[in-house]
Amino acid sequence: MSYFYPKPLRYQSLYGISQLTLTEHYKIYLGYVERTNEIRSLLLSADRAKANATYSPYRELKLEETYSLNGIKLHELYFENLTPMGEGEPEQELLLYLGRSFGSWEKWREDFTALGMSARGWAIMALDLDEKIRNFLQDAHNLGEITRSLPLLVLDVYEHAYFLDYMTDRKGYIEAFFRNIHWGVVNRRFRQALAACNACYPFSTP
């Protein structure tokens, strides 16, 4: 049975996002690491002979594993794709895909902002196997995930991500998020996603 170890936070504050917010946010991430490890320990002794779709301890553990494990992965993606005051810019091929998918960089950003205002949990830009970049909404860690899509940029819009700094001004938080994007990380994810997708379903040139 494999267990998770938390990844350290590489910065103490971001543009428009305070050290207090990040410290408290990181504690939530640590909680998902702890809960996932606890669930995996309990699964070792879960009675599989009594498993069923109405109720069984095994079913409940496997269901909550999806929530807790995605809580780890989404937070790691979110923290990783940020850096103080941002860094770099979208590479040319990513801009081509954004243009093909949304019409222009500006229209993608407008849509991603609307996505962040609409979601109850996560806003995710992902490369889908239909050769397009899509903006997907997840209202919870395990609610809204799209099969065979690979996340490129992750925005946490749960209130714990911004309320200490922005209260109910979520749009102000999203604007700060854009100022902190580490485009070098997003570009790397895009290249890796493109290579992984091409390996199983070759894409055409945009």
Side-chain angles (χ1 to χ4, degrees):
M1 179 68 69
S2 60
Y3 294 97
F4 287 91
Y5 297 92
K7 293 183 178 180
L9 197 57
R10 298 177 292 102
Y11 39 78
Q12 293 188 335
S13 64
L14 297 166
Y15 173 85
I17 301 175
S18 66
Q19 182 176 11
L20 177 59
T21 289
L22 288 173
T23 298
E24 295 304 310
H25 198 168
Y26 186 72
K27 289 178 184 177
I28 291 172
Y29 160 69
L30 293 177
Y32 289 122
V33 173
E34 185 176 353
R35 293 288 80 76
T36 300
N37 288 338
E38 180 182 1
I39 288 168
R40 291 195 164 187
S41 292
L42 291 170
L43 279 168
L44 291 172
S45 57
D47 188 348
R48 287 153 175 78
K50 295 182 180 179
N52 68 83
T54 301
Y55 169 80
S56 68
Y58 177 80
R59 170 189 157 76
E60 295 307 306
L61 287 168
K62 292 303 292 183
L63 178 62
E64 297 310 325
E65 182 186 34
T66 67
Y67 185 87
S68 188
L69 182 55
N70 262 4
I72 293 175
K73 294 184 176 186
L74 287 166
H75 277 99
E76 289 181 349
L77 289 167
Y78 168 77
F79 289 134
E80 184 191 35
N81 63 212
L82 297 177
T83 194
M85 294 302 295
E87 184 175 319
E89 57 187 23
E91 62 184 31
Q92 190 61 32
E93 191 170 14
L94 175 56
L95 287 173
L96 286 172
Y97 270 81
L98 287 171
R100 188 176 70 175
S101 302
F102 293 90
S104 68
W105 156 264
E106 291 76 16
K107 288 182 179 179
W108 165 78
R109 177 166 173 156
E110 180 184 15
D111 189 75
F112 194 81
T113 299
L115 184 74
M117 293 299 294
S118 301
R120 296 172 183 168
W122 300 93
I124 299 171
M125 177 180 80
L127 181 65
D128 202 357
L129 276 184
D130 64 357
E131 305 186 34
K132 296 288 183 69
I133 291 177
R134 306 285 186 185
N135 289 334
F136 293 123
L137 179 153
Q138 286 189 222
D139 274 345
H141 302 164
N142 57 353
L143 181 61
E145 185 175 9
I146 305 300
T147 301
R148 301 191 79 185
S149 66
L150 298 171
L152 307 177
L153 178 67
V154 172
L155 166 63
D156 189 341
V157 290
Y158 279 107
E159 289 180 351
H160 62 245
Y162 64 87
F163 205 78
L164 290 174
D165 295 325
Y166 291 91
M167 303 298 284
T168 59
D169 181 18
R170 185 189 288 195
K171 191 168 185 178
Y173 159 68
I174 294 172
E175 290 171 356
F177 172 85
F178 276 106
R179 295 281 296 271
N180 291 294
I181 294 174
H182 194 321
W183 284 106
V185 169
V186 178
N187 290 333
R188 171 177 53 79
R189 290 176 184 168
F190 172 68
R191 290 191 299 270
Q192 291 172 340
L194 203 57
C197 290
N198 269 311
C200 58
Y201 186 84
F203 282 10
S204 58
T205 303

